[in-house]
Amino acid sequence: MSLRSPFIIFVVMKNERLIFVTNDDGYSSKGFQAAIEVARRFGNVVAVAPERAQSGMSQAITIYNPLYVNTIRAEEGLEIYSLSGTPVDCVKMAFDYMLRDRKVDLVISGINHGSNSAVNVLYSGTMGAAIEGSFYDCPSVGLSLTSHDADADFTAAVYYGTQVVESVLAADMPLPLCLNVNVPVGTVDEIKGVRVCRQTRGCWREEFYCRRDPHNRDYFWLTGDFHNSEPDAEDTDEWALNHGYVSVVPVQVDLTDYAQMERLKKLM
């Protein structure tokens, strides 16, 4: 395959897997390097991440501005690029341009700084990218650590992320497949294991703090708290994380409320 500058694509050895990595915290984040560490254990890696943090971008794409790609690192078996767009832009750029003539065996998005459990899956740029990867009939895994610390210890996230990826690659799961994997803070020995869960029902209740700038204009900072609607349910991702387990939630894109459909048929 030939690609125009600035891309550098090395020859992939026959039968070698190709793993694509992205995230929403930017190419320089510690979590992104940890995700690449996981990916390199399973094959050659092409990684494209936003040039700056893009948390909360969900499925956003860039329409009205050009996209710019820069080569960060290029060597045999590993290529890292930054993109002036969103996490989903990174996936689209990879699958529809950079790697359009190559088979990608797995998408890893992360490792995110902060949990993407419960309703956070809808806001998350990390999970937006993982979901986008599944649109290309490629198994996709979103990895997150429940710490927002920029210098967090990702040892346990790498350990359990490796376990999950190994299981996905070995199992030949039906497609589309997208997993939302969250790892609690703690050492490998402190974490109790892995639980397959469902998404917790709940929502965020936002607060806006108003301040005034030097030009006498009001500006606002967004903050808030997550309200768990079912704190005692033991089959949810929030329960698993709060009790020291890694949560694994299979994610689907169909948002149809089938129960309401039947009620609406009677009304309409």
Side-chain angles (χ1 to χ4, degrees), residues 74-110:
E75 60 191 55
E76 188 172 351
L78 174 63
E79 302 159 44
I80 303 175
Y81 304 92
S82 68
L83 181 72
S84 62
T86 68
V88 169
D89 287 332
C90 293
V91 178
K92 289 181 177 293
M93 176 64 72
F95 279 85
D96 294 327
Y97 185 75
M98 297 172 70
L99 303 173
R100 63 179 180 268
D101 295 328
R102 295 167 66 185
K103 179 182 182 295
V104 180
D105 295 281
L106 181 79
V107 171
I108 298 176
S109 184

Side-chain angles (χ1 to χ4, degrees), residues 29-198:
S29 68
K30 188 174 179 181
F32 185 54
Q33 303 307 315
I36 291 173
E37 180 183 343
V38 172
R40 295 197 77 177
R41 300 178 182 187
F42 299 98
N44 292 304
V45 176
V46 173
V48 184
E51 63 184 13
R52 58 185 177 83
Q54 295 278 340
S55 295
M57 294 302 288
S58 187
Q59 299 289 142
I61 57 175
T62 300
I63 297 175
Y64 298 110
N65 294 300
L67 294 172
Y68 297 92
V69 181
N70 289 307
T71 302
I72 304 301
R73 182 177 174 184
E75 60 191 55
E76 188 172 351
L78 174 63
E79 302 159 44
I80 303 175
Y81 304 92
S82 68
L83 181 72
S84 62
T86 68
V88 169
D89 287 332
C90 293
V91 178
K92 289 181 177 293
M93 176 64 72
F95 279 85
D96 294 327
Y97 185 75
M98 297 172 70
L99 303 173
R100 63 179 180 268
D101 295 328
R102 295 167 66 185
K103 179 182 182 295
V104 180
D105 295 281
L106 181 79
V107 171
I108 298 176
S109 184
I111 299 172
N112 190 64
H113 293 251
S115 172
N116 278 319
S117 61
V119 73
N120 292 321
V121 68
L122 297 177
Y123 301 111
S124 166
T126 295
M127 285 308 301
I131 291 168
E132 187 71 22
S134 73
F135 292 166
Y136 292 88
D137 279 338
C138 184
S140 301
V141 178
L143 297 174
S144 302
L145 177 69
T146 61
S147 170
H148 290 277
D149 186 352
D151 196 35
D153 183 356
F154 283 88
T155 303
V158 168
Y159 177 84
Y160 283 101
T162 299
Q163 282 194 355
V164 170
V165 169
E166 185 174 30
S167 298
V168 168
L169 290 173
D172 192 24
M173 299 282 287
L175 299 175
L177 175 69
C178 181
L179 302 182
N180 182 14
V181 181
N182 287 274
V183 181
V185 172
T187 66
V188 171
D189 292 335
E190 289 171 339
I191 294 173
K192 298 177 182 178
V194 178
R195 288 176 68 108
V196 176
C197 314
R198 64 175 175 85

